Amino acid sequence: MKEFDPGDAPSIVSITDKVRALPVGMPVSSIHFLGDTAVFVGAEENAAMANEAGEVSKVVIHGGAVLCAASDGKRIVTGGDDGKVVALNAKGETAVLATDAKRRWIDNVALHSDGAVAWSAGKTASVRSGKGDEKSFDAPTTVGGLAFAPKGLRVAVAHYNGVTLWFPNMAAKPEFLEWAGSHLAVTFSPDNKFLVTAMHEPALHGWRLADNRHMRMS
């Protein structure tokens, strides 16, 4: 092999050469894209929307801290300390989807591909379907995370000592998957065969849903 000669060009290309600084003027809690628009969700009150030209505009989304956010690429849904669930689209338009009746903060949100939205406040998880129907479920303890199954209207509600699988449109009793400890973020596999949670300790825990078999991953 002949010796590589980079010539006068730098031998290593840095990603910083492709980075553009944007003056959003606030701490950022999460970042999402709505088409070609980058949306920086602030830790307090606002979101900053940046277009391809680097122009930044701010949108008020909450009257206080922004505690959680999720996006499906068409909208961003956030939960705040003001007890509201708010949707933001690519045009910078906002809509309040729900307000907690007890004025509690919204600590988790999740989106379904069919337009359904799930959120939690304390031990209560709620779902609004794409048709606008709203259902609620009280978990055994404070909700740590929410996720929609890839198919059907089924919600995984993570909490202390396990996960509850809830079908909002069915009268059947929710299914409880037990494992000791605090379960936080939760997700389904794309094929709907597995469920995995991130735990308070440095570990992941999973279930094979066909038989609820445990899988522990350090």
Side-chain angles (χ1 to χ4, degrees):
M1 180 178 179
K2 295 182 180 180
E3 183 179 351
F4 175 69
D5 181 7
D8 296 330
S11 59
I12 298 176
V13 177
S14 172
I15 192 172
T16 59
D17 297 334
K18 307 296 183 180
V19 171
R20 178 190 299 175
L22 296 173
V24 296
M26 61 184 183
V28 174
S29 59
S30 64
I31 305 170
H32 308 272
F33 277 94
L34 298 178
D36 293 328
T37 300
V39 182
F40 300 83
V41 178
E44 293 275 348
E45 299 183 350
N46 301 314
M49 306 183 72
N51 61 22
E52 288 185 285
E55 299 168 333
V56 178
S57 59
K58 285 189 178 180
V59 181
V60 178
I61 53 177
H62 286 282
V66 184
L67 302 179
C68 51
S71 177
D72 58 6
K74 299 177 181 178
R75 60 179 176 169
I76 298 170
V77 173
T78 56
D81 197 40
D82 55 4
K84 294 180 180 180
V85 181
V86 177
L88 171 68
N89 65 21
K91 296 180 180 179
E93 301 167 337
T94 62
V96 177
L97 302 182
T99 301
D100 185 73
K102 298 180 180 179
R103 303 296 296 178
R104 296 170 296 181
W105 56 84
I106 307 299
D107 39 27
N108 294 282
V109 290
L111 299 180
H112 194 283
S113 58
D114 71 356
V117 179
W119 65 92
S120 67
K123 297 198 305 182
T124 304
S126 301
V127 167
R128 174 171 290 176
S129 70
K131 299 179 180 179
D133 300 326
E134 190 172 316
K135 303 287 179 63
S136 295
F137 162 76
D138 283 337
T141 62
T142 299
V143 176
L146 297 169
F148 279 104
K151 296 181 180 180
L153 192 62
R154 178 168 66 162
V155 184
V157 183
H159 48 76
Y160 195 77
N161 284 342
V163 178
T164 298
L165 299 179
W166 173 40
F167 290 87
N169 291 336
M170 295 179 63
K173 184 179 179 181
E175 182 181 3
F176 178 48
L177 306 179
E178 184 177 7
W179 188 264
S182 180
H183 296 262
L184 304 173
V186 58
T187 188
F188 286 89
S189 63
D191 60 7
N192 208 38
K193 293 182 179 180
F194 301 93
L195 182 76
V196 177
T197 62
M199 301 189 67
H200 186 267
E201 57 192 84
L204 300 175
H205 190 80
W207 290 266
R208 188 170 67 185
L209 296 178
D211 53 12
N212 294 345
R213 182 178 178 180
H214 294 282
M215 303 175 295
R216 188 163 178 80
M217 298 155 275
S218 299

